[in-house]
Amino acid sequence: KKNGVVITTYAQRDKQKKMLTAPTLPSIVQQTGINSLEITIFEGRNRQIRKMLEALGYTVVMLHRVEFMKIALKPLEKEGDWVELNLEEMRMIDELIA
């Protein structure tokens, strides 16, 4: 949606919860199948995709994150598995948070 979708989330800082109702930043949405979408968001509010789609009358059945901070996430064998970042991925993170 061009102007974002208004959702309510909770901002947490210093062990305090504050309700925040505001529009999301615009996102990129592509339909990839009859019942599937690829969504690119530019902020990471709590349960943002679920709340955005709910506000538009849709129900999210499954989510799969494929990228985080411009780093493609590799498939892992089982829940709890992890991989170390390589030097290029570390450089990308340094650039994004600098």
Side-chain angles (χ1 to χ4, degrees), residues 28-39 58:
I28 299 169
V29 180
Q30 295 177 306
Q31 187 166 359
T32 58
I34 294 171
N35 294 313
S36 60
L37 302 170
E38 181 176 303
I39 302 173
Y58 297 99

Side-chain angles (χ1 to χ4, degrees), residues 13-64:
R13 182 169 289 185
D14 300 326
K15 298 183 182 179
Q16 304 261 334
K17 273 187 170 182
K18 181 180 176 187
M19 189 164 60
L20 170 66
T21 300
T24 62
L25 294 175
S27 56
I28 299 169
V29 180
Q30 295 177 306
Q31 187 166 359
T32 58
I34 294 171
N35 294 313
S36 60
L37 302 170
E38 181 176 303
I39 302 173
T40 303
I41 59 175
F42 302 95
E43 60 186 327
R45 291 165 59 183
N46 183 263
R47 302 178 62 79
Q48 180 176 341
I49 290 176
R50 291 183 189 278
K51 290 178 180 184
M52 286 169 43
L53 290 173
E54 183 181 278
L56 298 172
Y58 297 99
T59 300
V60 174
V61 176
M62 183 174 65
L63 284 174
H64 177 73

Side-chain angles (χ1 to χ4, degrees), residues 4 9 11 18 27 32-34 41 43-46 51 55 57-58 65-71 73 78 82 86 98:
T9 56
K18 181 180 176 187
S27 56
T32 58
I34 294 171
I41 59 175
E43 60 186 327
R45 291 165 59 183
N46 183 263
K51 290 178 180 184
Y58 297 99
R65 183 177 296 188
V66 296
E67 187 177 279
F68 182 75
M69 293 182 75
K70 299 185 180 181
I71 297 173
L73 302 177
K78 63 185 184 311
W82 57 276
N86 63 39

